[in-house]
Amino acid sequence: MENIQKNIRHLRNLKSLTQEELAEDLKVTRSRISSYEEGRSAPNIKMLVLLSDYFKIPVDILIKNDLTKSKDTSFIEVGNKRVLFPITVDESNENLIEVVPVKASAGYLSGYDDPEYIEQLQKIKLPFLPSGKHRAFPIKGDSMLPLKEGSYVVGKFIEDRKDITDNKTYILLTLNDGMVYKRINNNIKERNSLLLISDNPLYQPYEISIDEVLEIWEYTCSINTQEYDKEELKISSIISMFNSLGVELEALKKIS
């Protein structure tokens, strides 16, 4: 629980709150907040959930991560990597997933690290997903059949590129090609590159330098929209299908 005392103080300061003001918002005494920040006592489960709801940060992030490395509440710089914190949570403390709509996917390259851009994306909740930061991306073209254009792929954010596993599928944000969804062979150690492979044999594999890769999201699940015309695939319809876990929602097993 060493991080929690630093995190409470840091998050309070980011909001420009005094201990008295935070205590008043949480309906506890100022001495209780002081005790947490000075490490004289640790929050119980009920208080951790209360802090999580108040700061909109999951309990595990509050406990496990040193948030003092962040300059704001949208991301944390760790070395030369941008780590997406905090994970957005709703009133039930469940992860919400930002959905990148088809029309906005071109702007994602310039907006992926802009907290205001990410904040304006519509959000959905998929409670069956594993822990971690997830985001939903639209499929373009037919290079990754059977997923067709208009389908959505949900990916889990990969912080350490050493964790990229051969023959798994990933959504990549790249400097030159923008957003792509491909199967990957990890050649970082040998050639500082990734081999991108399409499941559609009509498309040839190609290699890109890891330095061109801005973000990597590991495939978690997909929504298949094959029964719908392209004109019907509006973002509102996609979100409705996600939220209701509709007919075509496929919680596919991760490819290993």
Side-chain angles (χ1 to χ4, degrees), residues 23-249:
E24 183 177 347
D25 287 347
L26 297 178
K27 295 180 172 53
V28 298
T29 63
R30 187 206 63 79
S31 61
R32 192 169 177 183
I33 299 299
S34 175
S35 177
Y36 295 153
E37 292 188 359
E38 293 171 10
R40 290 182 282 109
S41 65
N44 58 24
I45 294 298
K46 183 178 180 180
M47 178 54 65
L48 285 172
V49 172
L50 191 62
L51 289 164
S52 171
D53 289 343
Y54 183 79
F55 290 115
K56 298 293 185 284
I57 297 177
V59 171
D60 61 334
I61 298 299
L62 278 172
I63 296 172
K64 296 178 183 177
N65 294 271
D66 182 1
L67 302 182
T68 60
K69 294 183 175 68
S70 66
K71 296 179 181 179
D72 58 41
T73 56
S74 298
F75 62 86
I76 294 174
E77 295 285 347
V78 180
N80 61 354
K81 295 192 178 100
R82 173 162 286 173
V83 181
L84 299 183
F85 285 122
I87 297 172
T88 309
V89 294
D90 64 7
E91 64 277 2
S92 302
N93 200 39
E94 295 184 79
N95 291 359
L96 292 176
I97 302 166
E98 298 98 359
V99 180
V100 181
V102 175
K103 289 184 179 180
S105 60
Y108 187 74
L109 180 59
S110 57
Y112 78 99
D113 60 351
D114 180 354
E116 292 185 7
Y117 172 86
I118 299 301
E119 178 61 28
Q120 59 85 32
L121 294 176
Q122 297 193 55
K123 298 173 179 63
I124 58 173
K125 180 169 65 177
L126 292 178
F128 57 77
L129 289 178
S131 61
K133 175 67 181 177
H134 291 78
R135 192 163 289 163
F137 301 90
I139 291 293
K140 293 185 178 181
D142 61 351
S143 68
M144 293 300 287
L145 296 175
L147 289 177
K148 293 184 178 180
E149 185 165 4
S151 301
Y152 274 75
V153 171
V154 177
K156 177 182 177 181
F157 182 66
I158 300 298
E159 298 178 20
D160 191 340
R161 296 173 181 187
K162 295 177 183 176
D163 294 335
I164 300 171
T165 304
D166 284 350
N167 207 38
K168 285 189 175 182
T169 55
Y170 297 84
I171 303 102
L172 294 89
L173 183 67
T174 68
L175 282 172
N176 295 322
D177 296 332
M179 199 162 53
V180 297
Y181 174 52
K182 300 291 180 184
R183 195 172 300 279
I184 287 181
N185 279 347
N186 188 343
N187 299 326
I188 295 177
K189 285 186 178 180
E190 297 84 359
R191 296 191 293 277
N192 197 43
S193 66
L194 300 174
L195 181 65
L196 308 188
I197 305 167
S198 298
D199 283 350
N200 186 338
L202 295 177
Y203 293 85
Q204 293 298 312
Y206 63 97
E207 202 162 19
I208 65 169
S209 168
I210 190 63
D211 296 329
E212 291 184 30
V213 179
L214 303 173
E215 283 187 342
I216 300 179
W217 301 77
E218 182 181 349
Y219 170 90
T220 301
C221 66
S222 64
I223 179 170
N224 189 339
T225 56
Q226 293 179 26
E227 293 184 3
Y228 296 86
D229 294 330
K230 191 179 294 185
E231 291 74 19
E232 295 177 302
L233 298 178
K234 298 178 181 177
I235 187 66
S236 57
S237 301
I238 298 296
I239 288 177
S240 296
M241 285 188 285
F242 265 126
N243 282 332
S244 63
L245 302 184
V247 176
E248 291 296 324
L249 182 62

